[in-house]
Amino acid sequence: MSSVVRLIRSDSLATAPYAYAATAPADARLIFLAGACPLADDGTTVAPGDYAAQAARCVETLQHALDASGAHLTDVVSTRVLVASTEQRDLIAAWDVIHAAFGAHDVPSTLLGVTVLGYDDQLVEIEAIAAVPGDLR
């Protein structure tokens, strides 16, 4: 099934590794996902100290939440990536993993450095909104 999400780019804006905007039709069902965290099945944080590994686990968690909602990564309209660091290199380490996971579906995204996240040893979290066709009750 093709996605209802349309990514928008503009030649009048600086080149970026993501679309600047995205739309979904008025009859789309929106899915608001909780922040995807780098948690193992037992609830512990995976890969303490490793931004890239935690980002990869966050993507896996996000994919599971999307699957449970009847959606895929290509249905994501936007993301917010939170990285517990003041170092740009740490933000980029997480971003590179997440950007690669989305591939050609380079959704509008915000990348933020924050002081702390909710779980012990947590360094990365991904918030997302997705859109799928109509009401799938």
Side-chain angles (χ1 to χ4, degrees):
M1 174 189 288
S2 72
S3 177
V4 298
V5 175
R6 185 170 72 92
L7 301 179
I8 299 169
R9 294 170 174 75
S10 173
D11 292 336
S12 65
L13 297 169
T15 302
Y18 49 82
Y20 274 96
T23 64
D27 63 346
R29 180 173 59 98
L30 295 178
I31 303 165
F32 298 87
L33 296 116
C37 299
L39 301 179
D41 292 342
D42 65 2
T44 60
T45 303
V46 302
D50 188 332
Y51 290 90
Q54 286 199 11
R57 180 60 181 176
C58 288
V59 169
E60 291 173 15
T61 301
L62 178 62
Q63 288 175 309
H64 288 298
L66 287 165
D67 288 343
S69 302
H72 305 283
L73 284 177
T74 54
D75 297 316
V76 172
V77 177
S78 68
T79 67
R80 181 177 299 123
V81 178
L82 309 171
V83 180
S85 179
T86 59
E87 298 295 327
Q88 187 178 38
R89 70 177 175 268
D90 298 332
L91 278 70
I92 292 169
W95 172 254
D96 285 346
V97 171
I98 295 161
H99 184 252
F102 276 88
H105 187 69
D106 53 351
V107 299
S109 298
T110 299
L111 177 63
L112 298 168
V114 299
T115 56
V116 66
L117 292 167
Y119 291 99
D120 291 341
D121 301 315
Q122 181 184 1
L123 300 172
V124 181
E125 187 164 336
I126 306 170
E127 296 177 7
I129 299 171
V132 294
D135 187 13
L136 300 177
R137 285 184 224 177

